[in-house]
Short mmCIF file of all heavy atoms in Angstrom, two decimals:
data_model
loop_
_atom_site.label_atom_id
_atom_site.label_comp_id
_atom_site.label_asym_id
_atom_site.label_seq_id
_atom_site.Cartn_x
_atom_site.Cartn_y
_atom_site.Cartn_z
N LEU A 1 70.34 15.26 146.28
CA LEU A 1 69.57 15.70 147.44
C LEU A 1 70.12 15.09 148.73
O LEU A 1 70.13 15.74 149.78
CB LEU A 1 68.10 15.37 147.28
CG LEU A 1 67.36 16.16 146.19
CD1 LEU A 1 65.90 15.76 146.16
CD2 LEU A 1 67.49 17.65 146.42
N LYS A 2 70.59 13.86 148.64
CA LYS A 2 71.20 13.24 149.81
C LYS A 2 72.42 14.03 150.26
O LYS A 2 72.63 14.25 151.46
CB LYS A 2 71.60 11.79 149.49
CG LYS A 2 72.27 11.06 150.65
CD LYS A 2 72.74 9.68 150.23
CE LYS A 2 73.53 9.00 151.34
NZ LYS A 2 74.05 7.67 150.92
N SER A 3 73.21 14.49 149.31
CA SER A 3 74.39 15.28 149.64
C SER A 3 74.02 16.60 150.29
O SER A 3 74.80 17.20 151.04
CB SER A 3 75.23 15.54 148.39
OG SER A 3 74.63 16.52 147.56
N ALA A 4 72.80 17.09 150.00
CA ALA A 4 72.31 18.34 150.58
C ALA A 4 71.57 18.13 151.88
O ALA A 4 71.02 19.07 152.45
CB ALA A 4 71.42 19.06 149.57
N GLY A 5 71.51 16.86 152.33
CA GLY A 5 70.84 16.56 153.59
C GLY A 5 69.34 16.45 153.48
O GLY A 5 68.62 16.57 154.48
N MET A 6 68.83 16.21 152.27
CA MET A 6 67.39 16.11 152.05
C MET A 6 66.98 14.69 151.72
O MET A 6 67.69 13.98 151.00
CB MET A 6 66.96 17.01 150.89
CG MET A 6 66.83 18.47 151.24
SD MET A 6 66.05 19.37 149.87
CE MET A 6 65.71 20.94 150.68
N ASN A 7 65.83 14.29 152.22
CA ASN A 7 65.25 13.00 151.86
C ASN A 7 64.38 13.17 150.63
O ASN A 7 63.68 14.16 150.48
CB ASN A 7 64.40 12.45 153.02
CG ASN A 7 65.23 12.14 154.25
OD1 ASN A 7 66.34 11.61 154.14
ND2 ASN A 7 64.71 12.46 155.42
N GLY A 8 64.43 12.19 149.74
CA GLY A 8 63.62 12.24 148.54
C GLY A 8 62.15 12.02 148.83
O GLY A 8 61.78 11.36 149.81
N ALA A 9 61.28 12.59 148.01
CA ALA A 9 59.83 12.41 148.16
C ALA A 9 59.25 11.82 146.88
O ALA A 9 58.81 10.67 146.86
CB ALA A 9 59.17 13.75 148.48
N SER A 10 59.27 12.57 145.82
CA SER A 10 58.84 12.11 144.50
C SER A 10 59.58 12.95 143.48
O SER A 10 60.20 13.96 143.82
CB SER A 10 57.32 12.29 144.34
OG SER A 10 56.98 13.67 144.31
N ALA A 11 59.53 12.55 142.24
CA ALA A 11 60.32 13.22 141.21
C ALA A 11 60.00 14.72 141.13
O ALA A 11 60.90 15.55 141.08
CB ALA A 11 60.09 12.55 139.86
N LEU A 12 58.72 15.08 141.15
CA LEU A 12 58.34 16.48 141.02
C LEU A 12 58.84 17.31 142.21
O LEU A 12 59.43 18.38 142.04
CB LEU A 12 56.82 16.62 140.90
CG LEU A 12 56.21 16.17 139.57
CD1 LEU A 12 54.69 16.18 139.65
CD2 LEU A 12 56.69 17.07 138.43
N VAL A 13 58.57 16.83 143.40
CA VAL A 13 59.00 17.55 144.60
C VAL A 13 60.52 17.62 144.66
O VAL A 13 61.11 18.66 144.99
CB VAL A 13 58.44 16.87 145.86
CG1 VAL A 13 58.99 17.54 147.12
CG2 VAL A 13 56.92 16.93 145.86
N ASP A 14 61.18 16.52 144.33
CA ASP A 14 62.64 16.48 144.39
C ASP A 14 63.27 17.44 143.37
O ASP A 14 64.28 18.09 143.64
CB ASP A 14 63.14 15.06 144.15
CG ASP A 14 62.82 14.13 145.31
OD1 ASP A 14 62.31 14.62 146.33
OD2 ASP A 14 63.04 12.91 145.16
N LEU A 15 62.68 17.53 142.19
CA LEU A 15 63.20 18.44 141.17
C LEU A 15 63.06 19.89 141.61
O LEU A 15 63.96 20.71 141.39
CB LEU A 15 62.49 18.23 139.84
CG LEU A 15 62.87 16.96 139.09
CD1 LEU A 15 61.89 16.69 137.95
CD2 LEU A 15 64.30 17.03 138.55
N SER A 16 61.94 20.21 142.25
CA SER A 16 61.75 21.57 142.76
C SER A 16 62.77 21.89 143.84
O SER A 16 63.35 22.98 143.86
CB SER A 16 60.33 21.72 143.31
OG SER A 16 60.11 23.02 143.81
N ASN A 17 63.03 20.94 144.74
CA ASN A 17 64.03 21.14 145.79
C ASN A 17 65.44 21.24 145.21
O ASN A 17 66.26 22.05 145.64
CB ASN A 17 63.97 20.00 146.81
CG ASN A 17 62.78 20.12 147.74
OD1 ASN A 17 62.30 21.22 148.02
ND2 ASN A 17 62.29 19.00 148.24
N PHE A 18 65.73 20.39 144.23
CA PHE A 18 67.03 20.43 143.57
C PHE A 18 67.26 21.80 142.95
O PHE A 18 68.34 22.39 143.10
CB PHE A 18 67.11 19.34 142.49
CG PHE A 18 68.34 19.44 141.63
CD1 PHE A 18 69.54 18.87 142.03
CD2 PHE A 18 68.30 20.11 140.41
CE1 PHE A 18 70.68 18.97 141.24
CE2 PHE A 18 69.44 20.21 139.61
CZ PHE A 18 70.62 19.63 140.03
N TYR A 19 66.25 22.30 142.25
CA TYR A 19 66.41 23.59 141.59
C TYR A 19 66.62 24.72 142.60
O TYR A 19 67.39 25.64 142.36
CB TYR A 19 65.22 23.90 140.69
CG TYR A 19 65.39 25.21 139.96
CD1 TYR A 19 66.38 25.34 138.99
CD2 TYR A 19 64.64 26.33 140.29
CE1 TYR A 19 66.60 26.55 138.36
CE2 TYR A 19 64.84 27.53 139.66
CZ TYR A 19 65.83 27.64 138.69
OH TYR A 19 66.05 28.85 138.08
N MET A 20 65.93 24.65 143.73
CA MET A 20 66.08 25.67 144.77
C MET A 20 67.52 25.70 145.28
O MET A 20 68.12 26.78 145.43
CB MET A 20 65.12 25.39 145.92
CG MET A 20 65.27 26.33 147.10
SD MET A 20 64.15 25.93 148.45
CE MET A 20 64.78 24.30 148.92
N ILE A 21 68.11 24.55 145.55
CA ILE A 21 69.48 24.49 146.06
C ILE A 21 70.46 24.85 144.96
O ILE A 21 71.46 25.54 145.18
CB ILE A 21 69.79 23.08 146.61
CG1 ILE A 21 68.86 22.76 147.77
CG2 ILE A 21 71.24 22.98 147.06
CD1 ILE A 21 68.88 21.31 148.19
N ASP A 22 70.18 24.44 143.75
CA ASP A 22 71.06 24.69 142.61
C ASP A 22 71.15 26.17 142.29
O ASP A 22 72.23 26.71 142.07
CB ASP A 22 70.53 23.92 141.40
CG ASP A 22 71.48 23.98 140.21
OD1 ASP A 22 72.54 23.32 140.27
OD2 ASP A 22 71.16 24.68 139.23
N SER A 23 69.99 26.85 142.27
CA SER A 23 69.93 28.23 141.80
C SER A 23 69.66 29.25 142.89
O SER A 23 69.85 30.46 142.69
CB SER A 23 68.83 28.37 140.75
OG SER A 23 67.55 28.22 141.36
N GLY A 24 69.18 28.79 144.06
CA GLY A 24 68.78 29.71 145.11
C GLY A 24 67.36 30.23 144.96
O GLY A 24 66.91 31.05 145.76
N LYS A 25 66.63 29.74 143.96
CA LYS A 25 65.30 30.23 143.67
C LYS A 25 64.23 29.24 144.14
O LYS A 25 64.06 28.18 143.55
CB LYS A 25 65.15 30.47 142.17
CG LYS A 25 63.74 30.83 141.72
CD LYS A 25 63.27 32.13 142.32
CE LYS A 25 61.89 32.51 141.79
NZ LYS A 25 61.39 33.74 142.43
N PRO A 26 63.46 29.57 145.19
CA PRO A 26 62.35 28.70 145.58
C PRO A 26 61.19 28.83 144.59
O PRO A 26 60.91 29.91 144.07
CB PRO A 26 61.94 29.24 146.96
CG PRO A 26 63.06 30.14 147.40
CD PRO A 26 63.66 30.67 146.14
N THR A 27 60.55 27.73 144.32
CA THR A 27 59.33 27.70 143.51
C THR A 27 58.31 26.86 144.27
O THR A 27 58.63 26.23 145.27
CB THR A 27 59.59 27.09 142.12
OG1 THR A 27 60.13 25.76 142.31
CG2 THR A 27 60.57 27.92 141.30
N HIS A 28 57.08 26.86 143.77
CA HIS A 28 56.07 26.02 144.42
C HIS A 28 55.25 25.30 143.36
O HIS A 28 54.88 25.87 142.33
CB HIS A 28 55.16 26.84 145.30
CG HIS A 28 54.30 26.00 146.19
ND1 HIS A 28 54.82 25.28 147.25
CD2 HIS A 28 52.97 25.70 146.15
CE1 HIS A 28 53.84 24.59 147.83
NE2 HIS A 28 52.72 24.83 147.18
N LEU A 29 54.98 24.01 143.62
CA LEU A 29 54.20 23.19 142.71
C LEU A 29 52.85 22.87 143.34
O LEU A 29 52.76 22.48 144.50
CB LEU A 29 54.93 21.87 142.42
CG LEU A 29 56.37 21.94 141.90
CD1 LEU A 29 56.87 20.55 141.56
CD2 LEU A 29 56.48 22.85 140.69
N TYR A 30 51.80 23.04 142.56
CA TYR A 30 50.45 22.68 142.97
C TYR A 30 49.94 21.57 142.04
O TYR A 30 50.21 21.60 140.84
CB TYR A 30 49.49 23.86 142.82
CG TYR A 30 49.88 25.13 143.55
CD1 TYR A 30 50.82 26.01 143.00
CD2 TYR A 30 49.28 25.47 144.75
CE1 TYR A 30 51.15 27.19 143.64
CE2 TYR A 30 49.60 26.66 145.40
CZ TYR A 30 50.54 27.51 144.84
OH TYR A 30 50.87 28.69 145.47
N ASP A 31 49.21 20.63 142.60
CA ASP A 31 48.51 19.65 141.76
C ASP A 31 47.33 20.39 141.14
O ASP A 31 46.35 20.72 141.82
CB ASP A 31 48.03 18.47 142.61
CG ASP A 31 47.44 17.35 141.76
OD1 ASP A 31 46.72 17.65 140.79
OD2 ASP A 31 47.67 16.17 142.08
N ALA A 32 47.41 20.66 139.85
CA ALA A 32 46.42 21.51 139.19
C ALA A 32 45.01 20.94 139.25
O ALA A 32 44.02 21.68 139.31
CB ALA A 32 46.83 21.77 137.74
N LYS A 33 44.89 19.62 139.25
CA LYS A 33 43.56 19.01 139.26
C LYS A 33 42.88 19.09 140.62
O LYS A 33 41.68 18.81 140.73
CB LYS A 33 43.65 17.55 138.80
CG LYS A 33 43.98 17.41 137.31
CD LYS A 33 43.89 15.97 136.85
CE LYS A 33 44.10 15.86 135.34
NZ LYS A 33 44.01 14.46 134.86
N LYS A 34 43.64 19.46 141.66
CA LYS A 34 43.05 19.59 142.99
C LYS A 34 42.53 21.00 143.27
O LYS A 34 41.97 21.26 144.32
CB LYS A 34 44.09 19.20 144.05
CG LYS A 34 44.50 17.73 144.01
CD LYS A 34 45.56 17.43 145.07
CE LYS A 34 46.00 15.96 145.01
NZ LYS A 34 47.07 15.67 146.00
N ILE A 35 42.75 21.92 142.34
CA ILE A 35 42.26 23.28 142.51
C ILE A 35 40.75 23.31 142.29
O ILE A 35 40.26 22.88 141.25
CB ILE A 35 42.96 24.25 141.53
CG1 ILE A 35 44.46 24.27 141.79
CG2 ILE A 35 42.37 25.65 141.63
CD1 ILE A 35 45.26 25.05 140.77
N LYS A 36 40.02 23.82 143.26
CA LYS A 36 38.56 23.88 143.18
C LYS A 36 38.13 25.27 142.75
O LYS A 36 38.22 26.24 143.52
CB LYS A 36 37.94 23.54 144.55
CG LYS A 36 38.43 22.22 145.15
CD LYS A 36 38.06 21.03 144.28
CE LYS A 36 38.51 19.72 144.96
NZ LYS A 36 38.24 18.54 144.12
N GLY A 37 37.69 25.40 141.52
CA GLY A 37 37.26 26.70 141.01
C GLY A 37 38.44 27.57 140.60
O GLY A 37 39.44 27.07 140.06
N ASP A 38 38.36 28.87 140.88
CA ASP A 38 39.41 29.80 140.48
C ASP A 38 40.58 29.76 141.45
O ASP A 38 40.44 29.43 142.63
CB ASP A 38 38.86 31.23 140.42
CG ASP A 38 37.87 31.41 139.27
OD1 ASP A 38 37.99 30.68 138.27
OD2 ASP A 38 36.98 32.28 139.39
N PHE A 39 41.75 30.15 140.95
CA PHE A 39 42.96 30.26 141.76
C PHE A 39 43.10 31.73 142.13
O PHE A 39 43.16 32.60 141.26
CB PHE A 39 44.17 29.78 140.96
CG PHE A 39 45.46 29.73 141.72
CD1 PHE A 39 45.87 28.58 142.35
CD2 PHE A 39 46.27 30.86 141.80
CE1 PHE A 39 47.07 28.53 143.06
CE2 PHE A 39 47.48 30.82 142.50
CZ PHE A 39 47.88 29.65 143.13
N ARG A 40 43.18 32.03 143.43
CA ARG A 40 43.19 33.42 143.88
C ARG A 40 44.45 33.74 144.67
O ARG A 40 44.88 32.96 145.52
CB ARG A 40 41.97 33.71 144.75
CG ARG A 40 40.64 33.57 144.03
CD ARG A 40 39.48 33.91 144.96
NE ARG A 40 38.21 33.85 144.24
CZ ARG A 40 37.48 32.76 144.08
NH1 ARG A 40 37.90 31.63 144.63
NH2 ARG A 40 36.36 32.80 143.41
N ILE A 41 45.00 34.92 144.40
CA ILE A 41 46.07 35.47 145.22
C ILE A 41 45.44 36.59 146.03
O ILE A 41 44.95 37.58 145.48
CB ILE A 41 47.22 36.02 144.36
CG1 ILE A 41 47.83 34.89 143.51
CG2 ILE A 41 48.30 36.65 145.22
CD1 ILE A 41 48.81 35.38 142.47
N ARG A 42 45.43 36.42 147.34
CA ARG A 42 44.74 37.40 148.19
C ARG A 42 45.34 37.40 149.59
O ARG A 42 46.11 36.50 149.96
CB ARG A 42 43.25 37.07 148.27
CG ARG A 42 42.93 35.70 148.90
CD ARG A 42 41.43 35.54 149.08
NE ARG A 42 41.05 34.20 149.56
CZ ARG A 42 41.07 33.81 150.83
NH1 ARG A 42 41.48 34.65 151.78
NH2 ARG A 42 40.67 32.58 151.16
N PHE A 43 44.95 38.41 150.35
CA PHE A 43 45.32 38.42 151.76
C PHE A 43 44.31 37.59 152.53
O PHE A 43 43.12 37.55 152.21
CB PHE A 43 45.38 39.85 152.30
CG PHE A 43 46.59 40.60 151.84
CD1 PHE A 43 46.53 41.45 150.75
CD2 PHE A 43 47.80 40.44 152.49
CE1 PHE A 43 47.66 42.13 150.31
CE2 PHE A 43 48.94 41.12 152.06
CZ PHE A 43 48.87 41.96 150.96
N ALA A 44 44.79 36.90 153.55
CA ALA A 44 43.93 36.03 154.34
C ALA A 44 42.92 36.85 155.14
O ALA A 44 43.12 38.03 155.42
CB ALA A 44 44.78 35.19 155.29
N ALA A 45 41.84 36.19 155.51
CA ALA A 45 40.88 36.78 156.44
C ALA A 45 41.35 36.49 157.85
O ALA A 45 41.93 35.43 158.13
CB ALA A 45 39.49 36.19 156.20
N ASN A 46 41.13 37.41 158.75
CA ASN A 46 41.51 37.18 160.15
C ASN A 46 40.85 35.91 160.68
O ASN A 46 39.64 35.74 160.57
CB ASN A 46 41.11 38.38 161.01
CG ASN A 46 42.15 39.48 160.97
OD1 ASN A 46 43.35 39.22 160.95
ND2 ASN A 46 41.69 40.73 160.96
N GLY A 47 41.66 35.02 161.24
CA GLY A 47 41.14 33.79 161.81
C GLY A 47 41.00 32.66 160.82
O GLY A 47 40.65 31.53 161.20
N GLU A 48 41.28 32.91 159.54
CA GLU A 48 41.20 31.84 158.53
C GLU A 48 42.24 30.76 158.86
O GLU A 48 43.35 31.06 159.32
CB GLU A 48 41.46 32.43 157.15
CG GLU A 48 41.08 31.52 156.00
CD GLU A 48 41.09 32.27 154.66
OE1 GLU A 48 41.55 33.43 154.61
OE2 GLU A 48 40.63 31.68 153.67
#
């Protein structure tokens, strides 16, 4: 990551960034225990 001009954060975040640069594929990690209730994919409400 240093060679790519990135500062390290933690193993999970760094692995996600490494994979993005390695393969060109962005991914996203969520702390699953911080999810309150259901996980929804939706369009935002105006002003949200």
Side-chain angles (χ1 to χ4, degrees):
L1 291 182
K2 179 184 174 183
S3 74
M6 281 190 168
N7 295 319
S10 67
L12 288 172
V13 175
D14 290 354
L15 287 168
S16 180
N17 284 332
F18 172 85
Y19 182 67
M20 176 182 64
I21 299 168
D22 187 72
S23 69
K25 173 63 177 177
T27 57
H28 192 70
L29 306 185
Y30 305 81
D31 187 320
K33 290 187 175 181
K34 294 178 182 178
I35 299 172
K36 307 298 183 183
D38 292 332
F39 185 93
R40 296 181 177 88
I41 299 171
R42 61 173 175 83
F43 285 97
N46 276 322
E48 194 168 9

